[in-house]
Amino acid sequence: MRLYALAVYLFLYIPIGIIALFSFNAGRHAAQLTGFSLQWYGKALDNPFVIGALKTSFTVALISATLATLCGTLAAVALQGMRGRARMLYDAALYVAVMVPGIVIGIATLIALVTVFDAVNPLLLQAFGAEAPQLGLGKGSLIAAHGMFTMALVVVIVRARLQGMDRALLEASADLGAPPMRTFLQVTLPQIAPAVLAGFLLAFTFSFDDFIIAFFVAGSETTLPIYVFSSIRRGVTPEINAIGTMVLVASLLVLITAQMMLRRRAR
Amino acid sequence: MRPSLRTSLFLAPATAWLLCMLVLPLVVVLVFSFGTRGAAGGYVPALSLENYANLGARWAAFQNTLVLAPLGTLTCLIIAWPLAYFLAIKADPRWRTLLLILVIVPFWTSILIRSYAWIQILGGNGLPSLIAELGMGKPRLINTPFAVMVGIVYGYLPLMVFPIYVALEKLDKKLLEASSDLGSPPFRTFLQVSLPLSLSGVATGSMLVFILLMGEFLIPQILGGGKVFFVGNALVDLFLQSRNWPFGAAVAATLVLVMLVTVTLYLRAMKRLSGGRDDVALM
């Protein structure tokens, strides 16, 4: 039984180890190890395309995760007090948001936004003349699409925490005459804070790592996963390994933190 | 503030976001799927079933998906169950949380980079050349259904382990002891106690993996090399290369329909399995 578990863990982590191993390879070829070197990290970090893609991914992930956490947390709190048909409808929408495959979200967002832009852009031209701002796919559409999905995720996570919360505390607060807003700020918020932070971290990593939605809605922007995908098409290089190692190590650290926050008991 | 006013204010941003970026786009897909293709590849409004009648043109993609997605789900299940059992019953409680986190965390990291790892392992210079050195010929592994299956199991195993773990963890360990005290061999205990009691987790895990596999694009793209393609690969082709949006919309709508049917069947089965419904655990 233990051996079996060990084998599965090896299966899960050896490929990650191999990516890291070959990222330190001195030689150009991914086939044999010819010595230790950090040159591929240097090359990756000197590549303006990599840095540009990294900046785009980081900006999109930061903004979309922040907005998703804000809106998602508020929604989770509001949903706590809701019953009946409206609640069921909301649950269904959240369920659809989490379960519909990323590729369908990507496609749907692409054609919906293009249709809307095609309708609005001529109006903008009419209204403002030749210098009118034109709508198009880009960072904005990435943020909107990623945020929609991660917001649903935040709602699910925060709600799980709210359900585990001691209701007596809320009642005590109300009995002592605290107005609802104050109860929210001083009782509810500190209690759900770890879940909110975990939700933010998950939302950030999801957006940062997402390829499939970005592939459809990025327009002319290049995110880091899009850059990696198009590099893989051209072949395996130690530079991709170096980028991959950095991304994996960073996201593993963030995710383990998030999991720890989720599992920590409320004080 | 009145509670109901506060509720609406708190809900407003999330509602607007879901309406604009989820409901509206899905409705647009549905509308497009009944349209026809313009001369330049655009969309011409219409109300025709032509796109749906034409689905057979992409039958191979549906066929591959409907064979490999259930097969991948089953493989994940067979590998995940013993691990979940180990984590829930046998593992040292002091290490349990860490071990569990180590299983879940890879699922949230980039599937793109993790699949890339398998290009190196299964590609010509990886395992095949190792096998060749052992004098057993040089098998071709990358760009085969086998490679896609490996990628699928690698990518989705964590998602299967967690729900089964949750179900098994709730299992009363006294039942297992009672079964063995009464002299039943371990296999019989498995068949009559632990397996039936883990069924809710098995069903949840299988549904999650199956649904995600139905929409998979990256794994077949990267490890199947265009030879093993899923509906997802057909969709990318229809939207980004051949730019037949109305037909692509019909394919996407059909995919979602198949998934909805799966989920409905799952929910029904769950209702029959247990009176109450466990919350679907994604985390």
Side-chain angles (χ1 to χ4, degrees):
Chain A
M1 206 75 208
R2 280 186 161 204
L3 275 180
Y4 180 81
L6 183 67
V8 178
Y9 279 99
L10 287 179
F11 172 68
L12 285 176
Y13 284 92
I14 279 183
I16 295 178
I18 286 185
I19 296 186
L21 185 67
F22 281 95
S23 71
F24 297 117
N25 194 5
R28 178 152 227 340
H29 291 286
Q32 67 257 105
L33 291 170
T34 47
F36 177 87
S37 142
L38 287 173
Q39 61 160 325
W40 299 108
Y41 286 87
K43 287 225 167 87
L45 294 176
D46 271 344
N47 184 337
F49 294 106
V50 174
I51 297 301
L54 185 68
K55 272 187 191 153
T56 308
S57 283
F58 193 84
T59 314
V60 168
L62 190 66
I63 299 177
S64 74
T66 307
L67 292 175
T69 310
L70 270 174
C71 300
T73 306
L74 288 178
V77 171
L79 283 171
Q80 267 308 88
M82 247 166 84
R83 293 283 170 272
R85 186 159 296 174
R87 168 75 184 255
M88 264 172 63
L89 207 64
Y90 225 93
D91 281 352
L94 290 169
Y95 196 65
V96 168
V98 178
M99 288 319 295
V100 166
I103 194 164
V104 175
I105 300 271
I107 286 168
T109 312
L110 169 74
I111 60 178
L113 288 182
V114 167
T115 309
V116 170
F117 293 163
D118 282 351
V120 172
N121 280 339
L123 296 179
L124 285 176
L125 270 183
Q126 253 179 6
F128 299 103
E131 277 143 60
Q134 293 285 290
L135 298 173
L137 295 170
K139 285 199 183 83
S141 52
L142 278 169
I143 290 168
H146 282 171
M148 187 282 295
F149 175 82
T150 53
M151 179 185 71
L153 213 62
V154 170
V155 176
V156 173
I157 294 170
V158 172
R159 204 157 62 171
R161 180 80 181 198
L162 280 167
Q163 273 158 1
M165 214 173 95
D166 194 351
R167 291 208 73 80
L169 285 174
L170 296 181
E171 281 156 25
S173 171
D175 286 352
L176 291 169
M181 209 43 170
R182 196 151 160 215
T183 304
F184 172 71
L185 287 177
Q186 297 196 334
V187 181
T188 314
L189 211 52
Q191 289 251 338
I192 60 172
V196 173
L197 188 60
F200 173 81
L201 293 176
L202 275 177
F204 185 90
T205 31
F206 171 83
S207 169
F208 194 80
D209 284 340
D210 166 71
F211 166 75
I212 194 69
I213 297 178
F215 196 39
F216 287 99
V217 302
S220 59
E221 296 282 349
T222 304
T223 64
L224 199 57
I226 293 179
Y227 176 81
V228 170
F229 180 78
S230 48
S231 308
I232 292 177
R233 281 187 160 171
R234 279 181 259 123
V236 171
T237 68
E239 193 184 339
I240 308 177
N241 286 49
I243 300 170
T245 308
M246 290 188 276
V247 171
L248 281 181
V249 169
S251 40
L252 282 177
L253 288 178
V254 171
L255 286 163
I256 290 175
T257 314
Q259 291 284 347
M260 296 287 195
M261 313 263 359
L262 273 179
R263 279 170 174 69
R264 207 173 64 183
R265 292 187 177 281
R267 269 165 300 174
Chain B
M1 254 191 299
R2 273 170 39 234
S4 65
L5 179 65
R6 196 187 64 159
T7 301
S8 344
L9 268 179
F10 275 23
L11 266 184
T15 312
W17 208 335
L18 285 171
L19 281 178
C20 293
M21 297 304 294
L22 180 72
V23 179
L24 172 78
L26 289 178
V27 170
V28 171
V29 167
L30 206 59
V31 171
F32 266 53
S33 74
F34 294 106
T36 52
R37 189 186 186 188
Y43 159 77
V44 178
L47 194 65
S48 90
L49 286 171
E50 195 190 326
N51 295 315
Y52 287 94
N54 209 9
L55 280 179
R58 295 282 170 167
W59 175 238
F62 276 101
Q63 204 179 13
N64 274 335
T65 310
L66 287 174
V67 170
L68 286 174
L71 204 63
T73 309
L74 189 67
T75 316
C76 280
L77 175 61
I78 292 169
I79 296 177
W81 203 93
L83 182 68
Y85 183 83
F86 170 80
L87 288 172
I89 314 275
K90 300 280 181 193
D92 187 334
R94 275 175 302 168
W95 294 102
R96 188 171 289 150
T97 310
L98 181 67
L99 287 173
L100 197 62
I101 289 177
L102 283 178
V103 174
I104 299 168
V105 152
F107 177 72
W108 289 94
T109 62
S110 165
I111 184 84
L112 172 68
I113 293 166
R114 288 190 302 133
S115 304
Y116 168 74
W118 286 98
I119 299 186
Q120 281 184 313
I121 298 173
L122 299 175
N125 297 320
L127 266 185
S129 57
L130 271 182
I131 296 174
E133 270 173 40
L134 294 173
M136 290 189 288
K138 195 169 179 182
R140 183 180 171 75
L141 295 177
I142 193 81
N143 301 348
T144 61
F146 171 76
V148 175
M149 282 297 286
V150 171
I152 285 173
V153 173
Y154 185 59
Y156 291 108
L157 191 66
L159 203 58
M160 185 68 92
V161 173
F162 193 63
I164 302 179
Y165 166 84
V166 170
L168 281 171
E169 198 201 16
K170 281 189 239 152
L171 182 154
D172 190 346
K173 288 187 184 100
K174 285 191 192 110
L175 287 175
L176 296 177
E177 283 162 24
S179 172
S180 75
D181 285 352
L182 291 170
S184 44
F187 187 67
R188 203 157 151 210
T189 306
F190 163 73
L191 270 189
Q192 299 195 329
V193 183
S194 24
L195 184 63
L197 289 173
S198 71
L199 275 187
S200 66
V202 168
T204 303
S206 306
M207 186 203 62
L208 290 177
V209 172
F210 180 73
I211 283 188
L212 287 179
L213 281 183
M214 293 286 297
E216 189 54 52
F217 160 76
L218 267 179
I219 296 173
Q221 176 72 32
I222 291 180
L223 298 173
K227 293 194 182 71
V228 186
F229 48 92
F230 277 34
V231 176
N233 304 72
L235 284 172
V236 167
D237 174 56
L238 284 169
F239 278 93
L240 300 179
Q241 267 108 52
S242 34
R243 295 186 71 86
N244 189 345
W245 288 12
F247 182 48
V251 174
T254 311
L255 183 67
V256 172
L257 185 74
V258 173
M259 285 176 21
L260 282 180
V261 170
T262 316
V263 177
T264 314
L265 288 178
Y266 158 79
L267 288 177
R268 276 217 189 129
M270 289 303 286
K271 246 186 197 156
R272 208 171 301 157
L273 263 174
S274 59
R277 191 172 74 81
D278 286 338
D279 242 347
V280 177
L282 284 168
M283 292 293 308

